[in-house]
Amino acid sequence: MHQQGRLISTRVTTGTEQMATDCWLLDQLITKQLPPILRFYQWSPIALSLGYHQKEWPDHWQTLTWQGQPVELVRRPTGGRAVLHQGDLTYAIALPLTVRRQEAYRQICDALIAAWQQLGVELHYGTAGRGYRHQANCFAMATAADLITPAGYKLVGSAQLRRDRYLLQHGSIRLWPDAACHRQVFGENMAPMAERPLAIPTAPDETFLEQLKGLIQQALTQSLGMTFAALPLSAAEIAEIRARSSSLARAVI
């Protein structure tokens, strides 16, 4: 019998509020011993998220703008390098650990692989070595924790945070990156867009996003043995998250 979890409907909001929400998810599980929680989200305005232990980044990231809006700089509760959240879909799942941390990572990533297989896209784990830690850009290399296509396009980058016997895993699915934005942020050209899977529409498409989220949810049910029932955040929960996000915004530097 599948364990029952919660699905939080997609939210589009600031990076600080998104990271506060992910931290809140994990705290809810620990303090209230709740069942697993899954959510999908997008970032507005676009943002750069720094890994929890990332100590260095270019000075100009403090004053970045794109299309007349500041690019928010926010710190993730998880490790890794900087991720540009523009044209991506992010997933987050918080759950009690019933297996080893590495096995939970494999179960979640295998579900992502299975979901993309339904769209005709083959993914496998990356192979980058220690040189990764010298990169500012998370998507410049693919480690064994990342999912890439046979052509070398890094489609999914994920990271984890464990507390006690509970786990938060979130990851960015790179769907519609803008080459000019990437170049402005990282000072280098993005890999050729021809490498991006053809299953992804050429422009942002809500129907495709809903299909993708549904496939990921179904695959997680199979991989983790959990079902997820939709239950949006309440007004009280959103207020609690926003109170946390105000302090998180001051903790980037």
Side-chain angles (χ1 to χ4, degrees):
M1 185 175 180
H2 286 163
Q3 183 179 4
Q4 180 72 56
R6 176 183 182 182
L7 173 67
I8 295 176
S9 53
T10 302
R11 302 189 70 221
V12 181
T13 187
T14 66
T16 50
E17 189 165 330
Q18 299 292 21
M19 293 303 91
T21 303
D22 282 356
C23 293
W24 176 85
L25 295 182
L26 188 58
D27 286 348
Q28 292 296 295
L29 263 69
I30 294 172
T31 60
K32 299 181 180 179
Q33 298 184 333
L34 297 180
I37 305 173
L38 170 67
R39 78 182 190 106
F40 298 96
Y41 56 96
Q42 293 175 282
W43 310 61
S44 181
I46 69 170
L48 267 169
S49 68
L50 303 171
Y52 183 78
H53 297 290
Q54 189 170 353
K55 303 300 183 185
E56 298 180 359
W57 55 87
D59 290 340
H60 76 278
W61 284 7
Q62 304 285 358
T63 56
L64 275 173
T65 62
W66 180 249
Q67 295 181 341
Q69 285 191 304
V71 175
E72 186 181 10
L73 195 62
V74 63
R75 190 173 293 281
R76 298 189 306 274
T78 56
R81 316 308 291 169
V83 176
L84 175 60
H85 299 282
Q86 173 275 315
D88 66 336
L89 173 69
T90 307
Y91 77 90
I93 183 168
L95 69 166
L97 269 176
T98 57
V99 295
R100 293 176 62 88
R101 176 177 175 173
Q102 294 87 345
E103 175 63 13
Y105 197 98
R106 187 194 64 78
Q107 290 176 340
I108 295 169
C109 287
D110 281 356
L112 294 169
I113 291 172
W116 279 98
Q117 281 178 337
Q118 294 296 308
L119 295 169
V121 177
E122 180 184 348
L123 293 175
H124 58 83
Y125 292 92
T127 58
R130 295 183 178 179
Y132 172 81
R133 61 184 174 181
H134 301 297
Q135 288 280 348
N137 175 13
C138 174
F139 276 81
M141 299 179 71
T143 72
D146 301 317
L147 300 180
I148 64 175
T149 67
Y153 184 86
K154 180 173 173 178
L155 185 59
V156 186
S158 301
Q160 287 184 338
L161 171 64
R162 180 178 63 83
R163 287 195 194 139
D164 300 324
R165 292 295 300 169
Y166 297 88
L167 180 76
L168 166 71
Q169 180 169 320
H170 57 192
S172 171
I173 305 172
R174 191 170 56 154
L175 299 173
W176 296 290
D178 186 292
C181 183
H182 181 280
R183 186 166 52 251
Q184 180 174 320
V185 172
F186 296 112
E188 61 186 15
N189 290 329
M190 192 170 58
M193 291 300 291
E195 295 181 356
R196 192 180 64 173
L198 295 177
I200 301 174
T202 56
D205 185 308
E206 287 298 322
T207 300
F208 175 80
L209 282 174
E210 291 304 313
Q211 179 187 18
L212 177 60
K213 288 183 285 188
L215 290 172
I216 293 173
Q217 181 182 339
Q218 292 170 17
L220 285 169
T221 293
Q222 293 299 316
S223 182
L224 299 174
M226 300 172 183
T227 58
F228 298 92
L231 180 61
L233 292 171
S234 68
E237 289 173 331
I238 292 174
E240 185 178 338
I241 289 165
R242 286 180 175 166
R244 173 179 289 205
S245 70
S246 62
S247 61
L248 183 64
R250 297 190 293 269
V252 176
I253 310 305

